[in-house]
Amino acid sequence: MEPAARPGAVDAPAAPAVRDGVVARSSLSRRLTEAQRVVQVSAPAGSGKTVLLRSWIADSGLDKQVAWVVVPAGCDAPRFWISVADALRGTSAGSALVRVLTAAPDLDGWTVVERLLDDLAALADRIWLVIDDLHELCPPETLRQLELLIMRAPPDLRFVLVTRSDVRLGLHRLRLSGELTEIRAADLRFSPAEARALLNTADVPLSDSAMTVLYERTEGWAAGLRLAALSLAGHPDPERFAAEFGGSERTVAEYLLAEVLDRQPEEARRLLLRTSILDRVNGELADLLTGDSGGERVLQRLEAAGAFVVSLDARRSAFRYHQLFAELLQLELRASAPDELPTLHEAAAGWYAEHGYAVEAVRHAQAARNWDLAARVLSDHWIGLGLAGLGGTAHELLARFPAAVIAADAELAAREAGDQLTRGSLAEAERYLALSARALESIPANRRGRAQVVFAAVRMQLARKRGDITAVAEQARPLLAAAGQGQQELGGDLRALALINLGIAEMWTSRVDEADRHLTDGIALAREIGRPYLELNGLAFLAQLASWRSFPLGAERGRQAIELAAKHGWADEPVAGVAYMAIGVAMIVQGRIEDAEHALGQAERIVRTEADPAAGMRLRYGRGMLEYVSGRPDAALRAFQDAQRLSDSLITPHTLAPRLRSHLLQTLARGGRTDRVEQALASMDTAERKRGETRIAEASLRLAQHDPQAAVAVLGPVIDGSAPLQNAHLWDVQALLLQAIACDTLGDAAAARRALEGALDRAEPERLLFPFLYDPAPDLLDRHRRLGTAHAALIAEILGLLAGREPGAASDGPRRLREPLSHAEARVLRYLPTKLSAPEIADEMYLSVNTVKTHMRHLYDKLGTHRRHEAVEQARALGLLAPSPRRP
């Protein structure tokens, strides 16, 4: 589906034009028209060379100016030069200049060239000499004669050389002088828009997804697209045909057989067939699979000949085959030598394993049904695949093993346990770990150490998912020990893995300082050893940890993690969802509801709650906060209850459990279910009842029961700091706000003002608006603003949110501040309505005159004014100052 156009956006390019059933290639036609002496069009069969040239000639009106020569297979010099002379005589300008050339036994090509040069010396009008299928021209001497004609031809004789492979013509001098225009396979490849236009000419309706699949399979190859269009026309199920279209499709197979494969010598044909099982091939692999030598030379020749062989590096040492051609080759190999396939796959697996290409080695070993080799290679590289962010690839490889093979192999069983853990099946992970543990002793001694390391790594991650901090520490110790010994060259990997998992478990279990240290060390080590996926894991959870001390810092760490994930293509990995959680909660806390909804929505899309209950609990907790301040208390209650169930499933109590329970109880109390809250409080032990979060929940209950005196009493220890609240700056704000609400209800205005100003003091630095949205008190805030406060702008923002406006949203009143006032600027603002001069304000505030003037300049800028009286009026309009006592 195309995105909606943005206001002011540049219009998308128009769809390619179609004339007489041919897609116009305007950019290529322009290059042909602007070309100088020689154009070389070099590309494989079916690339659209001839169609392009004929379309260009017709559109440019060059019919009478083009001499077209097609070189037949095995063409000799006399036949070629007679064809050239006849073609030149067929043009308007050449008809009067070029003499008739007839066949003769002694016809000499060099003489003919000299004669043509003499005939064309007076040429005053442009002629284009097109030589098609130039690769068929022989012997080599004829090419040297053509080179002479090109280099000495008059300026108005232009050449278009059309060939499937580069020919040995000395055109390098023309290339250096800018007189050679080259159009190659990559230039002729159809764009997606041109492919769509081509199918439209055949009246083939295809969905965007089917069109994308077809385009990717043909790789923009013109003949492949045309053959697909012919087959699709009138097909009863074009969507299915497009999805299944490949090199084995009859029309494509016939074309590639006739035009490419059957034209190859036996040596090249054998190489193509036997190496077609590979995604990429080099000379060494080709020699191994064919039993011959010189494979790289053959591959280079095939690429130069345009035989659908594509070079993958500048040295032309690694190659791949066009997808449709590879499929045809595989079909031919299965038909001609099916018994050789297992041997070929096994040989390839051995080569890949020896050279460190684990994924390719496993795939070929599995194709050969050599399960022992596949299992050993996968086991040896399992940790590396996971730490490289290739968990999906590892899962795909593991899924290809028969279940009986996995169950009987202790190493594979441990890998299956890790895979089940990643996918959220904790019970299945436990079952496969048990199978692996029973068979560990059966593993050969030279492999047992690595197997034990993998077993410990999976055990550690299972314990972390279940919130079992003791078990995490137990399993981390052998990993750290193995890392210290540099076991199996995984020392840095194991240490980073252990540190990050240990830090995550400590974070979820209130060991904040240890978690910070282990996560930071693990991230630094992952960065040092080049393991960005491990670094991403550490950063995502460090963002959560940072949020408990500073929400903006947590959001910043979260964005760093998201950027790293996007850079490596991991934006949809569950760990990226953890980073989105940190961002989302920070947005909720700051009252940025729309941004919070987006971030939490991203997290909910990719976090697997069943695979990581602790992260799932945090996600549902954040959703509950967002739902409540969005005016959906019932949805908030359900989210908090879901989070509570996940919290209860963890073995070690989660560090957020007391806070979650407090929010759950507060939501119940505000919904009128005070009896349930009373029962919950009564069931708590003394230590839990005295916690700061519990006291805040009880204060909410007492206010809901219209007992503000009891609320003040229960909040006392939270206000004076004697009730424990670890890293709870947000909770401090709520405690003071509830105190202000309770005191105001009791009629103690002075105490209410002190508590409310204290809440605003703590909220201002990080814009902690959530408590004011969670416990709305608009009348109290408005009165406080009118009576004077250092936080008038913050109150105005809170009142705007409570009135249903997002931060920064337009309103019917005056526009908002350009940016928030600092504490010092807000103090200076209070003096502006007075008659005090800047030096007198400086004396009152114990500041220098220059400092006061600087604050005043900043005030004017943020208020969008230029004079003092304008600043006062604007501040009053924005609610930053009390209204003027004068009547209008």
Side-chain angles (χ1 to χ4, degrees):
M1 181 176 178
E2 295 294 332
R6 294 177 289 105
V10 178
D11 292 338
V18 178
R19 301 185 189 93
D20 299 324
V22 176
V23 178
R25 315 290 303 275
S26 56
S27 61
L28 292 176
S29 295
R30 188 162 50 251
R31 288 176 63 183
L32 288 166
T33 301
E34 295 172 355
Q36 298 301 309
R37 185 181 301 189
V38 177
V39 177
Q40 179 170 286
V41 185
S42 179
S47 296
K49 305 183 290 293
T50 301
V51 173
L52 167 68
L53 292 173
R54 293 200 181 281
S55 174
W56 165 65
I57 291 168
D59 292 345
S60 304
L62 299 176
D63 304 69
K64 300 297 185 181
Q65 295 175 260
V66 173
W68 191 297
V69 176
V70 179
V71 182
C75 179
D76 56 21
R79 289 170 59 197
F80 172 69
W81 288 116
I82 290 172
S83 299
V84 169
D86 288 347
L88 289 170
R89 280 179 53 80
T91 63
S92 298
S95 60
L97 297 175
V98 179
R99 287 169 284 177
V100 176
L101 185 65
T102 57
D106 59 346
L107 186 66
D108 176 61
W110 297 106
T111 302
V112 172
V113 170
E114 293 293 345
R115 176 176 162 174
L116 286 173
L117 290 171
D118 185 54
D119 288 350
L120 295 168
L123 181 67
D125 296 319
R126 181 71 46 83
I127 294 178
W128 294 89
L129 175 57
V130 178
I131 303 178
D132 201 354
D133 285 340
L134 181 61
H135 55 277
E136 299 285 3
L137 187 61
C138 58
E141 185 179 29
T142 310
L143 286 173
R144 293 197 296 274
Q145 294 164 2
L146 175 61
E147 180 182 341
L148 176 64
L149 177 65
I150 291 171
M151 302 308 293
R152 290 178 53 192
D156 281 318
L157 179 58
R158 302 294 172 88
F159 296 83
V160 180
L161 311 177
V162 187
T163 176
R164 292 187 181 182
S165 58
D166 289 356
V167 292
R168 292 184 174 275
L169 284 172
L171 303 179
H172 53 280
R173 286 167 289 178
L174 297 179
R175 183 181 291 114
L176 290 174
S177 64
E179 294 181 284
L180 174 65
T181 297
E182 296 178 272
I183 297 176
R184 298 189 172 274
D187 304 304
L188 289 164
R189 187 177 299 130
F190 272 49
S191 69
E194 290 170 333
R196 168 66 79 182
L198 178 61
L199 263 68
N200 288 343
T201 63
D203 196 24
V204 176
L206 274 187
S207 67
D208 288 346
S209 58
M211 185 67 227
T212 299
V213 170
L214 181 62
Y215 180 78
E216 289 175 350
R217 293 187 67 75
T218 60
E219 300 183 35
W221 177 44
L225 288 165
R226 288 193 178 93
L227 292 171
L230 290 172
S231 300
L232 281 165
H235 195 282
D237 190 354
E239 296 285 308
R240 181 177 61 81
F241 179 87
E244 297 174 356
F245 183 78
S248 58
E249 202 276 327
R250 182 181 58 80
T251 57
V252 176
E254 289 175 355
Y255 186 94
L256 289 173
L257 280 170
E259 295 293 332
V260 184
L261 188 58
D262 289 347
R263 291 171 174 252
Q264 303 306 321
E266 180 56 32
E267 177 191 25
R269 181 185 173 91
R270 174 179 166 81
L271 182 148
L272 288 168
L273 289 174
R274 294 174 72 87
T275 59
S276 65
I277 65 169
L278 308 171
D279 290 333
R280 52 187 292 156
V281 60
N282 57 31
E284 187 177 343
L285 257 174
D287 292 345
L288 175 68
L289 297 189
T290 60
D292 296 329
S293 60
E296 182 174 292
R297 174 180 49 80
V298 175
L299 287 164
Q300 289 172 345
R301 189 170 66 242
L302 286 166
E303 187 218 12
F308 290 86
V309 177
V310 182
S311 174
L312 298 175
D313 62 354
R315 293 177 54 245
R316 299 177 68 221
S317 61
F319 303 85
R320 73 169 180 86
Y321 303 146
H322 188 289
Q323 289 185 67
L324 299 181
F325 190 46
E327 289 173 9
L328 167 71
L329 294 172
Q330 291 160 12
L331 180 67
E332 287 289 297
L333 179 62
R334 287 195 299 271
S336 61
D339 296 338
E340 295 183 12
L341 280 169
T343 304
L344 292 172
H345 280 296
E346 191 161 348
W351 188 91
Y352 280 123
E354 182 182 344
H355 289 80
Y357 298 103
V359 173
E360 292 86 349
V362 174
R363 284 176 176 158
H364 285 287
Q366 290 173 327
R369 302 187 70 79
N370 187 335
W371 304 117
D372 286 341
L373 174 59
R376 297 293 75 78
V377 175
L378 182 59
S379 295
D380 288 345
H381 293 86
W382 181 267
I383 291 180
L385 289 173
L387 299 187
L390 297 175
T393 301
H395 169 74
E396 172 207 330
L397 296 175
L398 198 55
R400 293 180 178 178
F401 284 94
V405 172
I406 295 175
D409 189 301
E411 294 184 78
L412 276 185
R415 274 71 180 173
E416 180 67 26
D419 188 58
Q420 293 289 344
L421 185 62
T422 301
R423 315 198 88 69
S425 302
L426 304 192
E428 281 295 286
E430 188 72 63
R431 184 171 75 84
Y432 278 103
L433 276 175
L435 286 173
S436 178
R438 286 196 293 270
L440 269 177
E441 294 305 316
S442 66
I443 297 175
N446 64 334
R447 299 188 58 83
R448 196 172 302 152
R450 177 180 287 272
Q452 289 170 335
V453 164
V454 173
F455 187 84
V458 177
R459 269 281 178 208
M460 177 183 66
Q461 293 187 70
L462 176 61
R464 177 173 72 75
K465 304 282 188 182
R466 289 181 165 167
D468 189 347
I469 181 64
T470 303
V472 172
E474 287 174 357
Q475 300 300 330
R477 278 193 291 273
L479 288 183
L480 291 171
Q485 298 164 9
Q487 177 148 356
Q488 302 288 339
E489 300 179 355
L490 285 175
D493 288 345
L494 294 177
R495 181 170 178 78
L497 179 66
L499 287 170
I500 288 173
N501 274 273
L502 191 57
I504 294 169
E506 289 165 340
M507 178 188 74
W508 289 143
T509 49
S510 304
R511 305 183 185 188
V512 176
D513 292 336
E514 296 96 322
D516 196 353
R517 183 174 70 255
H518 286 139
L519 284 173
T520 302
D521 290 349
I523 291 167
L525 180 56
R527 193 175 294 132
E528 179 185 332
I529 62 177
R531 287 295 192 188
Y533 191 74
L534 257 183
E535 181 186 351
L536 170 61
N537 274 265
L539 265 178
F541 284 97
L542 186 63
Q544 288 284 324
L545 183 64
S547 293
W548 299 341
R549 291 171 172 164
S550 165
F551 287 104
L553 179 60
E556 180 185 339
R557 293 281 183 270
R559 292 187 189 99
Q560 290 173 358
I562 296 300
E563 288 173 7
L564 183 62
K567 177 181 176 182
H568 292 279
W570 299 322
D572 288 334
E573 287 286 313
V575 68
V578 175
Y580 276 117
M581 273 195 284
I583 297 171
V585 172
M587 299 300 97
I588 296 168
V589 165
Q590 294 186 330
R592 295 167 59 178
I593 306 304
E594 192 172 312
D595 292 337
E597 185 65 63
H598 171 75
L600 284 190
Q602 290 287 82
E604 288 166 339
R605 184 176 59 85
I606 53 181
V607 168
R608 297 180 188 144
T609 297
E610 69 282 2
D612 195 342
M617 184 273 266
R618 183 69 183 105
L619 180 55
R620 297 307 296 155
Y621 185 2
R623 170 55 69 181
M625 295 171 67
L626 179 58
E627 293 292 348
Y628 198 92
V629 298
S630 299
R632 297 182 288 269
D634 290 342
L637 180 61
R638 288 193 296 271
F640 287 141
Q641 289 170 334
D642 289 344
Q644 185 66 59
R645 281 191 289 273
L646 289 167
S647 179
D648 293 341
S649 72
L650 303 174
I651 294 172
T652 307
H654 197 290
T655 190
L656 295 178
R659 303 179 189 185
L660 168 61
R661 189 163 47 248
S662 177
H663 275 124
L664 178 56
L665 294 176
Q666 291 182 66
T667 304
L668 286 168
R670 291 164 184 168
R673 304 176 195 181
T674 56
D675 53 337
R676 287 183 58 183
V677 182
E678 290 281 17
Q679 291 170 8
L681 292 172
S683 67
M684 294 179 184
D685 59 33
T686 304
E688 189 176 10
R689 184 73 180 263
K690 289 183 176 180
R691 288 187 63 96
E693 297 93 344
T694 307
R695 288 181 172 275
I696 289 172
E698 186 175 351
S700 291
L701 171 66
R702 302 308 170 207
L703 286 172
Q705 294 172 331
H706 309 292
D707 189 355
Q709 190 67 54
V712 170
V714 77
L715 285 169
V718 183
I719 303 298
D720 65 25
S722 59
L725 270 176
Q726 185 181 24
N727 298 320
H729 43 309
L730 191 67
W731 293 80
D732 288 335
V733 175
Q734 189 187 9
L736 285 164
L737 177 59
L738 290 175
Q739 179 85 340
I741 293 170
C743 290
D744 186 60
T745 305
L746 290 169
D748 189 346
R753 277 182 59 74
R754 284 195 303 272
L756 185 53
E757 190 71 5
L760 293 165
D761 282 340
R762 286 166 173 77
E764 180 84 59
E766 293 186 22
R767 319 296 292 171
L768 304 180
L769 306 188
F770 175 78
F772 301 96
L773 308 179
Y774 194 52
D775 290 294
D779 292 341
L780 177 61
L781 285 165
D782 190 48
R783 275 187 277 120
H784 189 68
R785 179 181 63 174
R786 285 187 280 107
L787 290 170
T789 173
H791 307 287
L794 184 62
I795 291 175
E797 186 170 359
I798 295 167
L799 292 175
L801 284 170
L802 291 174
R805 294 199 301 271
E806 287 282 344
S811 67
D812 295 332
R815 62 179 177 78
R816 299 178 55 206
L817 286 167
R818 290 177 174 172
E819 60 181 278
L821 301 182
S822 69
H823 181 69
E825 290 162 357
R827 290 179 61 206
V828 170
L829 179 60
R830 297 177 196 170
Y831 288 96
L832 293 190
T834 70
K835 294 184 178 181
L836 295 177
S837 63
E840 290 169 331
I841 295 173
D843 288 341
E844 290 286 328
M845 296 181 66
Y846 300 100
L847 297 173
S848 71
V849 176
N850 285 337
T851 300
V852 169
K853 289 182 177 180
T854 298
H855 289 324
M856 291 173 70
R857 282 198 303 274
H858 291 167
L859 276 168
Y860 296 167
D861 181 61
K862 291 178 179 181
L863 289 164
T865 59
H866 301 284
R867 297 178 179 80
R868 181 167 172 171
H869 74 275
E870 292 174 350
V872 170
E873 291 303 317
Q874 181 71 331
R876 283 176 172 153
L878 292 171
L880 303 177
L881 292 172
S884 171
R886 293 175 295 176
R887 297 178 62 84

